Amino acid sequence: MNRGALAGLGAAALLLAFAVGWALWPTAAPERGGGDAPGPTHATYAVFHHGRVDYGDPATPGLALGGETTLDGRITLRRVARDRLVLRVDALDALEVTVAGRSVLGPDDAAQIVGQQAVLRLAADGGAEAAAFAPDASPLLRNLVRLVMLETLTRRRDDVRVEATQLGRARTRWATTGDDVARTREAYVEVPGLAPGLPGATQALQASATATLGDDGLWATFEGRESLTVTQGGQARVAAESETRLTRIDAAAEPPSATPTVDAPVALADPATRADDSAQHLAQRIGDLTAEALLERLDAFPGGRLPDHARFLWQATGLLRAEPSLCGLLAARLVEPGRPPGGRALLADLLAGAGTSAAQAALRTALADPGLAAAPDYPALYQRVALLNDPDEATAAWALTHHRAPGPEGAEAAALTLGAVAGKALRQRGDDALARGLLADALAADAPADRARLLTALGNAGDPRSLAPLRPFAADPDASVRRAWTAAVRRLADDPDTRARLVDLTGDGAGAVQQGALDTLARGGLRAADLPGLTTQVRAGALSEAGLPRLLDLAAPLLPDPGAEALVRAVLDRDLQDVGIRARARDLLARAAR
């Protein structure tokens, strides 16, 4: 989607994502857990985790809002199949989650999940890649398991790959010696709220972990620490620290059940999508904010910037979830003549952040107002619909209508928003009707501008089934369409054929296409198989000099891999106008040699 539509949320949107990790989780159809177990392999562990993350708002200096997690307890793991473990929570001596200094957990939450289980699905290298839970499992259990498994992720391998973390996606180096595994996160390629590849950002990252595995393939010990600071545009955007320990304390404890009934597995990397609206959780989130105080503060700060802006957003969206009738009152203020653009943006953010059916209906009603539709910032307000966590059927139908007959938001905003709504419907409800409709429209479009717009919308949808039908667009005669294809496959660029086409497009005659290909390759990080083709593009002079700095940044984490070294040397062999590029290449080779 147009990233301009995200600007109004700033740090609060990022912190909402942090808190979502403890209140939300995707759902799926039921299945039966279990399988042939290789033997009664089980072990009990002491587990400890403490992490803190602070987010900065582009509109204000400094770090605006923080969240913190502390976990201290015991879990038991039982191997029930070669690729499956059952995890049981045995004890939680401490479990605290705070957002903006306010706890998001109730006093009895931890006790309620003790004794509950989850089924973990393992990859061939032993790393946990998905988890499944009983249909009535609490969001807290679901996200506690996600936290522990992401933080203690251990793979028996020797390579570099991009892995999901609690903070985003990071390029990770694995090294295995016997039963010892070392994990080093070298650089983040994706952090929520920042562009893929973190262009223009500098990051200071120290993140290492070591694990020792027992003869049964389960952990003996695990210890990891991470410190990350991301600065962009001269401002701190993210600062995070964490420490995680896992220690085997009893290999003979009573094992968990071998075959719990669970939902279908959900990938640990998947974001959360469903809110916990229990009265207790909402009361903690809302705190002392009342309906009267909410309206008074909105009227007292019509420009939309409050002294405690991020905390206010967190409390206010909770209040809107608890009191749906307030949504209509906010919609009425959103369409008031003379309200400043910042105030309109805040009101739209609150309705989108609340996300209930009442909030969605109120937002649609406001966006249908003729006076608001005439405002210069209307396209950005319209795209708040794309930020909804769970667009309902009425919103999906409304977005489709606007795509078919765009209003003042314009055809591009309408298509991009529909793409985001289609992706949410697909991933959360398995409803692919909107995604299939967008694909059909793209395949039938005659004008290059229409094809480009629809391809970008399909990138927002992220439907894997669209990958093969879209491949011909990589060779479209129009450069804007080829550029849009690179955006359309950004979520899907894992198969070798797609990556090969992206590598080819780094030598496209249009600079925008080259940049788009590099952006998509950056999202998952370069792989060894990409390097020969990229080296060929550099040696042939097909990749423009303007793209070489980005290419060097992408190649740096792979050094001293021989393929990465050959790529950097190919850059050095070019006749370059920018001496800084040559200096950067020499520095990379010197560091790799050391």
Side-chain angles (χ1 to χ4, degrees):
M1 65 172 290
N2 184 339
R3 292 191 174 271
L6 295 171
L9 286 176
L14 299 174
L15 238 297
L16 286 175
F18 170 88
V20 150
W22 296 96
L24 315 174
W25 192 266
T27 57
E31 70 167 22
R32 185 79 176 169
D36 295 331
T41 301
H42 59 277
T44 298
Y45 298 87
V47 56
F48 171 83
H49 172 81
H50 179 262
R52 180 173 179 84
V53 57
D54 295 280
Y55 293 105
D57 192 324
T60 57
L63 295 167
L65 189 61
E68 193 165 1
T69 303
T70 300
L71 163 66
D72 192 356
R74 295 191 305 279
I75 61 173
T76 294
L77 294 175
R78 176 178 183 176
R79 186 182 294 277
V80 296
R82 185 175 300 277
D83 64 347
R84 205 165 307 182
L85 300 175
V86 176
L87 179 152
R88 183 185 64 214
V89 179
D90 290 338
L92 289 172
D93 300 321
L95 181 58
E96 293 290 337
V97 181
T98 61
V99 176
R102 185 181 298 277
S103 175
V104 300
L105 302 182
D108 300 324
D109 284 351
Q112 291 174 2
I113 66 171
V114 170
Q116 293 190 22
Q117 301 182 150
V119 177
L120 308 177
R121 190 179 67 199
L122 308 180
D125 58 19
E129 60 181 10
F133 303 86
D136 60 350
S138 69
L140 178 60
L141 174 70
R142 298 168 185 264
N143 291 285
L144 182 147
V145 170
R146 181 178 187 269
L147 166 71
V148 172
M149 290 299 102
L150 284 178
E151 290 302 313
T152 62
L153 181 65
T154 303
R155 299 185 185 276
R156 285 183 177 269
R157 56 189 312 127
D158 292 277
D159 64 4
V160 178
R161 55 191 291 147
V162 173
E163 304 273 343
T165 80
Q166 283 290 100
L167 297 173
R169 288 160 55 86
R171 187 177 295 109
T172 306
R173 185 176 297 275
W174 295 95
T176 302
T177 305
D179 291 327
D180 296 326
V181 179
R183 183 190 76 193
T184 305
R185 290 172 179 161
E186 299 181 330
Y188 271 82
V189 299
E190 187 172 329
V191 175
L194 303 180
L198 278 63
T202 58
Q203 55 180 297
L205 174 63
Q206 292 183 321
S208 61
T210 57
T212 300
L213 303 177
D215 294 337
D216 52 13
L218 299 178
W219 289 284
T221 61
F222 177 95
E223 185 168 353
R225 290 180 174 82
E226 179 166 346
S227 174
L228 171 69
T229 302
V230 179
T231 303
Q232 192 172 47
Q235 294 188 32
R237 297 298 308 277
V238 179
E241 291 186 343
S242 67
E243 178 181 0
T244 306
R245 297 192 301 271
L246 196 67
T247 305
R248 188 184 294 213
I249 57 175
D250 185 357
E254 181 70 20
S257 169
T259 56
T261 299
V262 295
D263 287 345
V266 176
L268 293 172
D270 282 357
T273 56
R274 181 170 55 85
D276 181 352
D277 274 346
S278 66
Q280 175 179 280
H281 279 273
L282 283 177
Q284 288 180 287
R285 177 172 175 175
I286 295 165
D288 58 359
L289 184 66
T290 64
E292 294 76 13
L294 168 67
L295 299 176
E296 288 175 1
R297 298 193 73 187
L298 289 172
D299 292 339
F301 297 92
R305 294 297 305 182
L306 283 73
D308 54 349
H309 187 75
R311 176 179 289 188
F312 172 74
L313 269 176
W314 174 243
Q315 292 180 277
T317 50
L319 185 60
L320 293 175
R321 296 187 72 88
E323 300 187 27
S325 61
L326 287 173
C327 296
L329 299 179
L330 266 64
R333 283 166 167 76
L334 178 54
V335 302
E336 284 177 349
R339 185 170 287 271
R344 290 196 294 264
L346 173 60
L347 290 161
D349 288 343
L350 290 173
L351 292 172
T356 60
S357 291
Q360 293 183 46
L363 183 57
R364 295 194 305 268
T365 298
L367 291 171
D369 180 80
L372 185 64
D377 56 337
Y378 182 80
L381 295 172
Y382 179 91
Q383 288 183 83
R384 260 52 178 194
V385 174
L387 298 176
L388 291 166
N389 271 328
D390 190 8
D392 59 24
E393 291 184 1
T395 295
W398 178 86
L400 179 61
T401 298
H402 277 256
H403 167 63
R404 299 293 189 204
E409 71 278 0
E412 181 177 10
L416 293 174
T417 300
L418 180 63
V421 171
K424 303 284 179 61
L426 177 65
R427 288 183 285 277
Q428 296 167 19
R429 299 192 297 275
D431 184 353
D432 66 350
L434 291 177
R436 285 189 291 105
L438 276 172
L439 177 60
D441 288 350
L443 296 174
D446 291 326
D450 292 337
R451 295 199 297 274
R453 182 180 69 253
L454 290 162
L455 284 172
T456 305
L458 282 164
N460 277 358
D463 183 0
R465 289 165 293 189
S466 68
L467 191 58
L470 292 180
R471 281 175 183 152
F473 289 110
D476 194 277
D478 190 276
S480 68
V481 177
R482 299 195 300 276
R483 170 67 176 86
W485 178 83
T486 68
V489 301
R490 189 159 294 161
R491 293 171 179 259
L492 312 170
D494 288 327
D495 72 289
D497 181 76
T498 300
R499 296 192 71 83
R501 291 169 189 259
L502 288 165
V503 169
D504 287 344
L505 288 180
T506 63
D508 193 273
V513 178
Q514 294 186 14
Q515 185 62 47
L518 287 172
D519 285 346
T520 297
L521 289 170
R523 185 178 188 273
L526 290 188
R527 300 173 187 174
D530 303 329
L531 298 173
L534 290 169
T535 301
T536 298
Q537 300 285 21
V538 173
R539 286 176 175 160
L543 178 58
S544 69
E545 184 169 328
L548 294 179
R550 185 75 184 284
L551 183 62
L552 289 175
D553 288 342
L554 294 176
L558 297 181
L559 290 167
D561 179 275
E565 184 174 337
L567 175 59
V568 177
R569 292 192 182 281
V571 172
L572 272 176
D573 291 339
R574 285 273 295 266
D575 183 14
L576 301 173
Q577 300 297 315
D578 186 347
V579 296
I581 298 175
R582 190 177 302 278
R584 168 71 168 147
R586 286 175 176 154
D587 179 64
L588 287 176
L589 291 175
R591 292 186 181 186
R594 292 196 294 269

